[in-house]
Amino acid sequence: DIQMTQSPSSLSASIGGRVTITCRASQGIGIDLGWYQQKPGQAPKRLIYAASSLQSGVPSRFSASGSGTEFTLTISSLQPEDFATYYCLQHYTYPHTFGQGTKLEIK
Amino acid sequence: QVQLQESGPRLVKPSETLSLTCSVSGSSLTSYYWTWIRLTPGKGLQWIGQIYFTGTTNYNPSLESRVTMSVDSSKNQLSLNLSSVTAADSAIYYCARDSGMFGADYWGRGTLVTVSS
């Protein structure tokens, strides 16, 4: 299985601040990666597909980059609704695998 | 608007079979993969497997011996069966639509299943 190492596991930031979350794949996955936001009791929401493409309707303060084994998600100008848990997911090969998640909390 | 909703028993006894249904609205099952995923406190998100609308499946090897997935196009529903469950199978179970090329896009809200006697 491809291991997705996501860091940090938790993060505190201020409203208006900027954060970056990283996922590293144990082998190359091209750009077959998505980023998801999850809030308790809600369906996970896809923010990014194909490593860097913004899902329709997602605010432009979310951006992502990477290919191969290293990927980043950046959230600039943090808003109250951004405090949630974020996951990466590789779909390059079976089984698809997730990062461990990053819980973003308000400082 | 694509919506998915998981349903099924919230409590399952050890050694029994967990059976869940995912009802899909706003999307045909055709031309998509349909995925089951679970969230456990200890292991985070785990991809259980997926089924193409034709019935072709891919299961996580760690669960393959106990998992069965099916689609019912007439009802626009998916099903998940997980046999011989233990407490370790207690989780929030999600279904999701997967385009194949771009991965999972829409997810359900999930359903909490507890395995306990």
PDB file of all heavy atoms in Angstrom, chain B residues 38-57:
ATOM      1  N   ARG B  38     -14.346   4.306   5.930  1.00  0.00           N
ATOM      2  CA  ARG B  38     -14.741   4.404   7.325  1.00  0.00           C
ATOM      3  C   ARG B  38     -13.745   5.225   8.116  1.00  0.00           C
ATOM      4  O   ARG B  38     -12.571   5.325   7.752  1.00  0.00           O
ATOM      5  CB  ARG B  38     -14.926   3.022   7.945  1.00  0.00           C
ATOM      6  CG  ARG B  38     -13.664   2.197   8.105  1.00  0.00           C
ATOM      7  CD  ARG B  38     -14.014   0.811   8.653  1.00  0.00           C
ATOM      8  NE  ARG B  38     -12.830   0.006   8.911  1.00  0.00           N
ATOM      9  CZ  ARG B  38     -12.858  -1.234   9.382  1.00  0.00           C
ATOM     10  NH1 ARG B  38     -14.039  -1.826   9.649  1.00  0.00           N
ATOM     11  NH2 ARG B  38     -11.738  -1.898   9.595  1.00  0.00           N
ATOM     12  N   LEU B  39     -14.242   5.804   9.203  1.00  0.00           N
ATOM     13  CA  LEU B  39     -13.435   6.636  10.083  1.00  0.00           C
ATOM     14  C   LEU B  39     -13.459   6.044  11.481  1.00  0.00           C
ATOM     15  O   LEU B  39     -14.518   5.898  12.090  1.00  0.00           O
ATOM     16  CB  LEU B  39     -13.998   8.067  10.122  1.00  0.00           C
ATOM     17  CG  LEU B  39     -13.324   9.029  11.092  1.00  0.00           C
ATOM     18  CD1 LEU B  39     -11.868   9.261  10.712  1.00  0.00           C
ATOM     19  CD2 LEU B  39     -14.091  10.354  11.134  1.00  0.00           C
ATOM     20  N   THR B  40     -12.298   5.670  11.944  1.00  0.00           N
ATOM     21  CA  THR B  40     -12.189   5.145  13.303  1.00  0.00           C
ATOM     22  C   THR B  40     -11.243   6.040  14.097  1.00  0.00           C
ATOM     23  O   THR B  40     -10.311   6.616  13.531  1.00  0.00           O
ATOM     24  CB  THR B  40     -11.645   3.710  13.310  1.00  0.00           C
ATOM     25  OG1 THR B  40     -10.358   3.707  12.673  1.00  0.00           O
ATOM     26  CG2 THR B  40     -12.571   2.768  12.574  1.00  0.00           C
ATOM     27  N   PRO B  41     -11.470   6.155  15.407  1.00  0.00           N
ATOM     28  CA  PRO B  41     -10.603   7.028  16.217  1.00  0.00           C
ATOM     29  C   PRO B  41      -9.135   6.612  16.144  1.00  0.00           C
ATOM     30  O   PRO B  41      -8.246   7.432  16.093  1.00  0.00           O
ATOM     31  CB  PRO B  41     -11.159   6.866  17.633  1.00  0.00           C
ATOM     32  CG  PRO B  41     -12.563   6.426  17.449  1.00  0.00           C
ATOM     33  CD  PRO B  41     -12.570   5.592  16.195  1.00  0.00           C
ATOM     34  N   GLY B  42      -8.898   5.323  16.088  1.00  0.00           N
ATOM     35  CA  GLY B  42      -7.523   4.862  16.134  1.00  0.00           C
ATOM     36  C   GLY B  42      -6.796   4.897  14.808  1.00  0.00           C
ATOM     37  O   GLY B  42      -5.617   5.210  14.733  1.00  0.00           O
ATOM     38  N   LYS B  43      -7.516   4.606  13.719  1.00  0.00           N
ATOM     39  CA  LYS B  43      -6.867   4.447  12.412  1.00  0.00           C
ATOM     40  C   LYS B  43      -7.165   5.579  11.440  1.00  0.00           C
ATOM     41  O   LYS B  43      -6.665   5.586  10.323  1.00  0.00           O
ATOM     42  CB  LYS B  43      -7.289   3.120  11.783  1.00  0.00           C
ATOM     43  CG  LYS B  43      -6.676   1.883  12.429  1.00  0.00           C
ATOM     44  CD  LYS B  43      -6.906   0.654  11.559  1.00  0.00           C
ATOM     45  CE  LYS B  43      -6.134  -0.544  12.070  1.00  0.00           C
ATOM     46  NZ  LYS B  43      -6.289  -1.722  11.178  1.00  0.00           N
ATOM     47  N   GLY B  44      -8.001   6.525  11.812  1.00  0.00           N
ATOM     48  CA  GLY B  44      -8.345   7.589  10.880  1.00  0.00           C
ATOM     49  C   GLY B  44      -9.239   7.075   9.770  1.00  0.00           C
ATOM     50  O   GLY B  44     -10.026   6.151   9.962  1.00  0.00           O
ATOM     51  N   LEU B  45      -9.102   7.674   8.580  1.00  0.00           N
ATOM     52  CA  LEU B  45      -9.932   7.268   7.450  1.00  0.00           C
ATOM     53  C   LEU B  45      -9.310   6.046   6.775  1.00  0.00           C
ATOM     54  O   LEU B  45      -8.115   6.029   6.479  1.00  0.00           O
ATOM     55  CB  LEU B  45     -10.059   8.412   6.449  1.00  0.00           C
ATOM     56  CG  LEU B  45     -11.010   9.550   6.841  1.00  0.00           C
ATOM     57  CD1 LEU B  45     -10.838  10.733   5.902  1.00  0.00           C
ATOM     58  CD2 LEU B  45     -12.447   9.078   6.848  1.00  0.00           C
ATOM     59  N   GLN B  46     -10.156   5.060   6.523  1.00  0.00           N
ATOM     60  CA  GLN B  46      -9.709   3.850   5.841  1.00  0.00           C
ATOM     61  C   GLN B  46     -10.608   3.592   4.631  1.00  0.00           C
ATOM     62  O   GLN B  46     -11.828   3.568   4.741  1.00  0.00           O
ATOM     63  CB  GLN B  46      -9.753   2.646   6.783  1.00  0.00           C
ATOM     64  CG  GLN B  46      -9.254   1.358   6.137  1.00  0.00           C
ATOM     65  CD  GLN B  46      -9.329   0.163   7.070  1.00  0.00           C
ATOM     66  OE1 GLN B  46     -10.191   0.086   7.938  1.00  0.00           O
ATOM     67  NE2 GLN B  46      -8.419  -0.791   6.897  1.00  0.00           N
ATOM     68  N   TRP B  47      -9.975   3.413   3.480  1.00  0.00           N
ATOM     69  CA  TRP B  47     -10.684   3.089   2.248  1.00  0.00           C
ATOM     70  C   TRP B  47     -11.050   1.617   2.287  1.00  0.00           C
ATOM     71  O   TRP B  47     -10.173   0.755   2.383  1.00  0.00           O
ATOM     72  CB  TRP B  47      -9.769   3.400   1.085  1.00  0.00           C
ATOM     73  CG  TRP B  47     -10.328   3.301  -0.282  1.00  0.00           C
ATOM     74  CD1 TRP B  47     -11.014   4.252  -0.968  1.00  0.00           C
ATOM     75  CD2 TRP B  47     -10.197   2.184  -1.169  1.00  0.00           C
ATOM     76  NE1 TRP B  47     -11.320   3.786  -2.231  1.00  0.00           N
ATOM     77  CE2 TRP B  47     -10.825   2.532  -2.373  1.00  0.00           C
ATOM     78  CE3 TRP B  47      -9.602   0.924  -1.065  1.00  0.00           C
ATOM     79  CZ2 TRP B  47     -10.889   1.670  -3.468  1.00  0.00           C
ATOM     80  CZ3 TRP B  47      -9.656   0.059  -2.149  1.00  0.00           C
ATOM     81  CH2 TRP B  47     -10.298   0.435  -3.332  1.00  0.00           C
ATOM     82  N   ILE B  48     -12.340   1.311   2.249  1.00  0.00           N
ATOM     83  CA  ILE B  48     -12.783  -0.080   2.343  1.00  0.00           C
ATOM     84  C   ILE B  48     -12.769  -0.739   0.965  1.00  0.00           C
ATOM     85  O   ILE B  48     -12.356  -1.894   0.806  1.00  0.00           O
ATOM     86  CB  ILE B  48     -14.202  -0.146   2.937  1.00  0.00           C
ATOM     87  CG1 ILE B  48     -14.207   0.456   4.349  1.00  0.00           C
ATOM     88  CG2 ILE B  48     -14.711  -1.585   2.960  1.00  0.00           C
ATOM     89  CD1 ILE B  48     -15.599   0.650   4.928  1.00  0.00           C
ATOM     90  N   GLY B  49     -13.235  -0.003  -0.033  1.00  0.00           N
ATOM     91  CA  GLY B  49     -13.253  -0.544  -1.380  1.00  0.00           C
ATOM     92  C   GLY B  49     -14.220   0.241  -2.242  1.00  0.00           C
ATOM     93  O   GLY B  49     -14.849   1.197  -1.779  1.00  0.00           O
ATOM     94  N   GLN B  50     -14.281  -0.165  -3.504  1.00  0.00           N
ATOM     95  CA  GLN B  50     -15.205   0.497  -4.404  1.00  0.00           C
ATOM     96  C   GLN B  50     -15.747  -0.475  -5.431  1.00  0.00           C
ATOM     97  O   GLN B  50     -15.174  -1.526  -5.696  1.00  0.00           O
ATOM     98  CB  GLN B  50     -14.580   1.724  -5.055  1.00  0.00           C
ATOM     99  CG  GLN B  50     -13.465   1.456  -6.019  1.00  0.00           C
ATOM    100  CD  GLN B  50     -12.888   2.733  -6.618  1.00  0.00           C
ATOM    101  OE1 GLN B  50     -12.194   2.697  -7.620  1.00  0.00           O
ATOM    102  NE2 GLN B  50     -13.150   3.905  -6.026  1.00  0.00           N
ATOM    103  N   ILE B  51     -16.890  -0.060  -5.993  1.00  0.00           N
ATOM    104  CA  ILE B  51     -17.564  -0.868  -6.986  1.00  0.00           C
ATOM    105  C   ILE B  51     -17.919   0.023  -8.158  1.00  0.00           C
ATOM    106  O   ILE B  51     -18.390   1.149  -7.975  1.00  0.00           O
ATOM    107  CB  ILE B  51     -18.821  -1.565  -6.388  1.00  0.00           C
ATOM    108  CG1 ILE B  51     -19.491  -2.473  -7.412  1.00  0.00           C
ATOM    109  CG2 ILE B  51     -19.807  -0.546  -5.800  1.00  0.00           C
ATOM    110  CD1 ILE B  51     -20.521  -3.428  -6.794  1.00  0.00           C
ATOM    111  N   TYR B  52     -17.644  -0.458  -9.364  1.00  0.00           N
ATOM    112  CA  TYR B  52     -18.027   0.263 -10.565  1.00  0.00           C
ATOM    113  C   TYR B  52     -19.487  -0.050 -10.842  1.00  0.00           C
ATOM    114  O   TYR B  52     -19.999  -1.072 -10.365  1.00  0.00           O
ATOM    115  CB  TYR B  52     -17.125  -0.174 -11.719  1.00  0.00           C
ATOM    116  CG  TYR B  52     -17.147   0.725 -12.930  1.00  0.00           C
ATOM    117  CD1 TYR B  52     -17.043   2.107 -12.808  1.00  0.00           C
ATOM    118  CD2 TYR B  52     -17.238   0.184 -14.212  1.00  0.00           C
ATOM    119  CE1 TYR B  52     -17.052   2.923 -13.927  1.00  0.00           C
ATOM    120  CE2 TYR B  52     -17.252   0.996 -15.336  1.00  0.00           C
ATOM    121  CZ  TYR B  52     -17.159   2.369 -15.182  1.00  0.00           C
ATOM    122  OH  TYR B  52     -17.161   3.180 -16.285  1.00  0.00           O
ATOM    123  N   PHE B  53     -20.136   0.790 -11.627  1.00  0.00           N
ATOM    124  CA  PHE B  53     -21.559   0.589 -11.848  1.00  0.00           C
ATOM    125  C   PHE B  53     -21.865  -0.751 -12.534  1.00  0.00           C
ATOM    126  O   PHE B  53     -22.978  -1.269 -12.426  1.00  0.00           O
ATOM    127  CB  PHE B  53     -22.152   1.752 -12.662  1.00  0.00           C
ATOM    128  CG  PHE B  53     -21.818   1.728 -14.135  1.00  0.00           C
ATOM    129  CD1 PHE B  53     -22.752   1.310 -15.058  1.00  0.00           C
ATOM    130  CD2 PHE B  53     -20.573   2.127 -14.598  1.00  0.00           C
ATOM    131  CE1 PHE B  53     -22.462   1.305 -16.421  1.00  0.00           C
ATOM    132  CE2 PHE B  53     -20.266   2.120 -15.941  1.00  0.00           C
ATOM    133  CZ  PHE B  53     -21.214   1.705 -16.877  1.00  0.00           C
ATOM    134  N   THR B  54     -20.843  -1.307 -13.188  1.00  0.00           N
ATOM    135  CA  THR B  54     -21.024  -2.604 -13.846  1.00  0.00           C
ATOM    136  C   THR B  54     -20.965  -3.762 -12.850  1.00  0.00           C
ATOM    137  O   THR B  54     -21.306  -4.893 -13.181  1.00  0.00           O
ATOM    138  CB  THR B  54     -19.920  -2.835 -14.869  1.00  0.00           C
ATOM    139  OG1 THR B  54     -18.651  -2.718 -14.201  1.00  0.00           O
ATOM    140  CG2 THR B  54     -19.991  -1.805 -15.996  1.00  0.00           C
ATOM    141  N   GLY B  55     -20.498  -3.458 -11.620  1.00  0.00           N
ATOM    142  CA  GLY B  55     -20.369  -4.502 -10.611  1.00  0.00           C
ATOM    143  C   GLY B  55     -18.939  -4.920 -10.332  1.00  0.00           C
ATOM    144  O   GLY B  55     -18.696  -5.677  -9.400  1.00  0.00           O
ATOM    145  N   THR B  56     -17.993  -4.426 -11.113  1.00  0.00           N
ATOM    146  CA  THR B  56     -16.575  -4.728 -10.858  1.00  0.00           C
ATOM    147  C   THR B  56     -16.139  -4.097  -9.540  1.00  0.00           C
ATOM    148  O   THR B  56     -16.447  -2.938  -9.282  1.00  0.00           O
ATOM    149  CB  THR B  56     -15.708  -4.181 -11.996  1.00  0.00           C
ATOM    150  OG1 THR B  56     -16.123  -4.755 -13.229  1.00  0.00           O
ATOM    151  CG2 THR B  56     -14.244  -4.488 -11.756  1.00  0.00           C
ATOM    152  N   THR B  57     -15.451  -4.879  -8.741  1.00  0.00           N
ATOM    153  CA  THR B  57     -15.061  -4.386  -7.418  1.00  0.00           C
ATOM    154  C   THR B  57     -13.558  -4.356  -7.218  1.00  0.00           C
ATOM    155  O   THR B  57     -12.797  -5.100  -7.859  1.00  0.00           O
ATOM    156  CB  THR B  57     -15.669  -5.273  -6.322  1.00  0.00           C
ATOM    157  OG1 THR B  57     -15.289  -6.639  -6.568  1.00  0.00           O
ATOM    158  CG2 THR B  57     -17.181  -5.153  -6.279  1.00  0.00           C
TER     159      THR B  57
END
